[in-house]
């Protein structure tokens, strides 16, 4: 967590907020299949009403990164930890979800968030299956490969303004992935991707080649004005830019 103290005489600031993308790997994996199928974090642009001397608590979403020095396969390290600030864990060869970026006022709990930019859902072990993009009032759903040994479409759903995205369900093994919840993406199962962090997190993937949903974005209904939501913008860890008029 970082803090920002509002300067004297300032009652409004412009804020440009980006959630983190899903995890990516450097080295051979990135060159082989990482770049084209990485889901992206959301963006929120808004004006925030503030008071001089007020402390803003800032959480910038993280992205998991793994490095490979040999081999040419398209498999990440097993059980990737979710990106900081709400990204869901990947299971087996599933990728981790990206963390959300947010501002909190009056405290540091989830209910103190006034702006949130959602993180992206994690990919599967397949090079062609990206997670759901983060951001928007309802984030993107995950994807699946219906040709993968005839498996069911156990992808996770994107978070919304009132609930986390449902985790995927694999009818063949009767296993459900983790649902998203307030601020937290669900955890993948059976090599499914993790859900993205957000206002409400995305649900996770329930099987190999089933990916996680993205996390939703949010702005406070009275403290924020001139709001613009954009889904699927940020690659890499999140960022937050404050401009003082």
């Amino acid at each position: 967590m970082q803090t920002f103290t509002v300067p004297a005489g300032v009652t409004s600031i412009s804020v440009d907020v980006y959630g983190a993308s899903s995890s990516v790997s450097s080295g051979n994996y990135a060159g082989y299949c990482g770049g084209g199928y990485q889901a992206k974090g959301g963006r929120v642009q808004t004006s925030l009403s503030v008071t001089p001397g007020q402390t803003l608590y800032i959480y910038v979403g993280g992205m998991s990164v793994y490095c490979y020095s040999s081999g040419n396969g398209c498999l990440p390290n097993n059980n990737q930890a979710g990106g900081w600030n709400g990204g869901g864990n990947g299971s087996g060869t599933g990728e981790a979800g990206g963390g959300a970026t947010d501002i909190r006022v009056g405290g540091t709990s989830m209910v103190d968030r006034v702006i949130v930019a959602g993180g992206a859902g994690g990919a599967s072990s397949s090079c062609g299956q990206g997670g759901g993009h983060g951001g928007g009032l309802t984030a993107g759903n995950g994807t699946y490969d219906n040709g993968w040994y005839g498996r069911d479409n156990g992808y996770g759903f994107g978070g919304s303004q009132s609930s986390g995205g449902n985790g995927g369900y694999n009818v063949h093994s009767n296993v459900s992935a983790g649902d998203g919840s307030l601020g937290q993406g669900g955890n993948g199962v059976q090599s499914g991707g993790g859900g993205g962090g957000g206002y409400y997190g995305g649900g996770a993937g329930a099987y190999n080649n089933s990916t996680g949903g993205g996390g939703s974005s949010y702005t406070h209904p009275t403290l924020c004005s001139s709001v613009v939501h954009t889904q699927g913008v940020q690659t890499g860890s999140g960022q937050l830019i404050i401009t003082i008029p």
Side-chain angles (χ1 to χ4, degrees), residues 31-99:
Y32 184 45
C33 68
Y37 302 102
Q38 184 183 22
K40 298 179 180 180
R43 181 185 188 185
V44 178
Q45 298 162 276
T46 185
S47 295
L48 175 66
S49 295
V50 293
T51 57
Q54 184 179 39
T55 298
L56 308 183
Y57 302 97
I58 298 172
Y59 294 70
V60 177
M63 176 192 71
S64 296
V65 180
Y66 287 86
C67 182
Y68 299 86
S69 58
S70 63
N72 59 2
C74 183
L75 295 177
N77 284 1
N78 284 347
N79 302 320
Q80 289 190 12
W84 189 78
N85 202 28
N89 297 337
S91 167
T93 55
E95 298 271 334

Side-chain angles (χ1 to χ4, degrees), residues 184-201:
Q184 180 64 50
N187 294 329
V189 297
Q190 296 183 333
S191 292
Y199 180 52
Y200 280 92

Side-chain angles (χ1 to χ4, degrees), residues 19-22 24 38-41 61-63 234-239:
S21 65
S22 59
V24 70
Q38 184 183 22
K40 298 179 180 180
M63 176 192 71
Q234 179 73 355
T235 299
S237 293
Q239 61 174 327

Side-chain angles (χ1 to χ4, degrees), residues 123-137:
S124 73
S125 61
S126 166
C127 294
Q129 300 301 311
H133 290 311
L137 298 179

